[in-house]
Amino acid sequence: MVHYLLREPKSATETPSLILLLHGYGSNEQDLFSFAEELPDDAYVISLRAVRETPMGGFSWYDLDFSGGARMTDVQQAVESQEIIIQFITQIHEKFPFDKNSITLLGFSQGAILSFSLALHHPQTFKKILCLSGYPDPELLKDIDMGTDFSQLEFFISHGKEDPVIPIQWARQFKPICEELDLDFEYHEYEQGHGINAENYYDLLNFLQ
């Protein structure tokens, strides 16, 4: 079982939803969990710790290789992490009775990259997907079936115009992909770096209501 932090629903409901938080490279499960109390009261909020340790401390969903002068994803590790997350959802449902038709993914940076890929590979599993400060990695998306029904998915995509980690040009690749797949999405850019400013934060909370 993957290590995680849990916030149980704060209001009684017969069919609580699930909000799954996926942090970025070199971070940990405490990061996004810092605003768990602000997320919808009727949801289980679970923040996962990524499965690999990074050389500088913290955790990652997959290794990054900069040796060739470019940012290369370890695709096999990313695929394995996706499988682990899907298995986790199945396992944790035995413990917490959330509505399997109301699962939200909220990912930041590497967690956002993985969230976008997860949703397109498993479109019947998720409902809302929030991709914060990420980009659509073509290596993870090249096997997507264009004829798949993505109609139940809703995407919130945001990025900082001054992001020094993931350039805004990379994030802008989301829009043509979303349009090509006829996805239900909203795309936002903010005056921020590799992070979440107040405007971005309130917009994502609005999206989750």
Side-chain angles (χ1 to χ4, degrees):
M1 179 70 77
V2 181
H3 186 82
Y4 65 91
L5 295 174
L6 167 72
R7 192 218 74 183
E8 296 198 35
K10 296 195 286 184
S11 61
T13 174
E14 290 185 8
T15 56
S17 57
L18 171 66
I19 301 175
L20 205 58
L21 310 180
L22 306 181
H23 66 76
Y25 183 91
S27 188
N28 60 48
E29 70 280 10
Q30 297 280 354
D31 188 10
L32 296 175
F33 198 70
S34 61
F35 56 77
E37 289 305 310
E38 303 297 323
L39 299 180
D41 290 349
D42 62 350
Y44 285 99
V45 179
I46 294 180
S47 185
L48 296 185
R49 176 192 292 174
V51 295
R52 309 184 68 83
E53 294 188 28
T54 64
M56 303 301 290
F59 301 87
S60 72
W61 297 103
Y62 51 87
D63 294 338
L64 297 174
D65 181 5
F66 299 93
S67 60
R71 180 195 188 102
M72 300 300 293
T73 297
D74 189 314
V75 176
Q76 184 56 41
Q77 290 178 3
V79 170
E80 289 171 359
S81 285
Q82 289 181 126
E83 292 171 352
I84 288 169
I85 292 166
I86 293 297
Q87 290 171 3
F88 175 85
I89 291 170
T90 300
Q91 292 169 349
I92 207 70
H93 186 258
E94 298 173 3
K95 190 172 184 180
F96 304 117
F98 57 83
D99 181 358
K100 294 180 78 172
N101 294 312
S102 185
I103 300 176
T104 291
L105 278 176
L106 191 162
F108 178 80
S109 194
Q110 194 179 75
I113 296 165
L114 213 59
S115 293
F116 192 69
S117 177
L118 267 168
L120 295 185
H121 282 96
H122 303 275
Q124 301 309 310
T125 300
F126 303 104
K127 183 176 181 183
K128 293 188 175 185
I129 302 92
L130 295 90
C131 302
L132 315 177
S133 300
Y135 71 97
D137 191 320
E139 287 300 306
L140 301 183
L141 304 177
K142 60 187 179 183
D143 61 341
I144 296 298
D145 181 356
M146 300 290 288
T148 301
D149 179 9
F150 300 113
S151 60
Q152 82 167 31
L153 301 175
E154 301 172 47
F155 290 87
F156 176 95
I157 299 165
S158 67
H159 211 85
K161 295 178 182 178
E162 291 88 33
D163 192 329
V165 178
I166 296 177
I168 187 66
Q169 290 80 6
W170 294 14
R172 287 172 178 162
Q173 297 168 16
F174 272 121
K175 190 174 181 181
I177 291 174
C178 288
E179 290 173 343
E180 185 177 7
L181 295 175
D182 196 25
L183 303 180
D184 180 353
F185 77 101
E186 53 183 86
Y187 175 84
H188 304 265
E189 294 182 2
Y190 301 96
E191 301 297 335
Q192 65 187 30
H194 196 63
I196 305 169
N197 66 12
E199 185 183 3
N200 190 353
Y201 184 59
Y202 290 121
D203 284 346
L204 74 86
L205 291 180
N206 257 353
F207 177 79
L208 288 172
Q209 298 308 315

